[in-house]
Amino acid sequence: MAQFRLQGSKVLAVDMTGDAVKAKNGSMVAYDGQMAFKKMSGGGEGVRGMVTRRLTGEQMTVMEVKGHGTCYFADRASEINLVSLHGDKLYVESSNLLCTDAGLRTGTSFTGLRGGATGNGLFTTTVEGTGQAAIMSDGPAVVLRVSPQYPLQVDPGAYIAHQGNLQQHFQSGVTALSSAGRTLIGEGSGEAFQIRFEGEGLVYLQPSERNTVGGDV
């Protein structure tokens, strides 16, 4: 299996000995050794994956990189975070996914009204299996744990990814800290829309917002 490691916080180094990874198209910045690059359509999921992504707007153009040596990946000086999966599933915005082990399965999942984030649709990308994934954030990512006792509300524009046994609900009109849990909102005092996470798991946030419907209301 390919070995993922960070070079600083903005460059991902992947050591391969005949292994393969799937990475965001155009994200390779350097490599040593012998590498082969192959562009994949729809995240490597065939016609069904291509059609699903086209309908949902969850765009994800990836390439397969295979070889012997070390390949380096980066994207617009974004901060990179490594996520280890052990048979579980990661939900991540497609624009925030940099690289995964080739053995991890990628797909799309309907996530309901979370689609209040402009351009992100009602679907998100899923990564499932055993291996490593690298996700990106605009600024250092914050990882918050959610438990049954402490649900979490977040701004859709700051959301990157989540994993674990979590349920998410889209809600509006929440402007203050609730006794039922914590609230993380964006730059405006009182965002119109938020995502509520309940259950047990981790939520990844970035300290910078995308444009969202909530932010414009």
Side-chain angles (χ1 to χ4, degrees):
M1 185 177 293
Q3 299 299 311
F4 287 39
R5 53 189 173 88
L6 294 179
Q7 296 282 100
S9 62
K10 299 181 180 181
V11 177
L12 171 69
V14 182
D15 301 316
M16 288 178 273
T17 55
D19 316 283
V21 296
K22 292 183 287 189
K24 185 175 183 178
N25 197 46
S27 63
M28 185 277 292
V29 294
Y31 70 89
D32 58 47
Q34 300 294 321
M35 297 287 166
F37 300 85
K38 180 174 68 174
K39 186 175 180 180
M40 304 173 71
S41 299
E45 300 162 325
V47 174
R48 182 178 180 183
M50 290 176 64
V51 171
T52 299
R53 294 186 187 282
R54 190 166 297 167
L55 289 175
T56 63
E58 183 72 3
Q59 299 298 324
M60 182 183 170
T61 304
V62 301
M63 59 183 177
E64 182 186 71
V65 184
K66 184 176 183 179
H68 294 263
T70 302
C71 195
Y72 300 87
F73 302 95
D75 186 57
R76 294 173 291 182
S78 297
E79 299 280 340
I80 301 171
N81 306 271
L82 298 183
V83 179
S84 294
L85 297 176
H86 303 281
D88 51 330
K89 184 182 293 187
L90 174 72
Y91 297 81
V92 57
E93 295 289 345
S94 63
S95 59
N96 293 99
L97 182 60
L98 177 64
C99 186
T100 71
D101 279 314
L104 291 174
R105 300 180 298 279
T106 56
T108 53
S109 176
F110 179 71
T111 53
L113 291 174
R114 185 196 55 79
T118 300
N120 292 297
L122 298 177
F123 290 73
T124 194
T125 294
T126 59
V127 182
E128 186 175 8
T130 298
Q132 284 194 293
I135 62 177
M136 300 178 292
S137 60
D138 185 3
V142 177
V143 185
L144 297 177
R145 180 170 294 279
V146 180
S147 67
Q149 296 79 17
Y150 295 101
L152 180 71
Q153 282 82 233
V154 306
D155 184 331
Y159 169 84
I160 302 172
H162 72 272
Q163 66 182 129
N165 185 22
L166 290 176
Q167 299 81 45
Q168 56 179 321
H169 311 281
F170 197 66
Q171 60 187 33
S172 62
V174 179
T175 58
L177 183 66
S178 143
S179 61
R182 297 159 289 170
T183 299
L184 281 181
I185 60 177
E187 297 169 356
S189 58
E191 296 283 0
F193 302 101
Q194 285 145 34
I195 316 167
R196 179 181 175 90
F197 288 95
E198 299 176 344
E200 189 83 42
L202 300 174
V203 176
Y204 299 80
L205 305 174
Q206 63 182 7
S208 176
E209 292 184 284
R210 306 176 191 88
N211 290 328
T212 66
V213 173
D216 293 339
V217 171

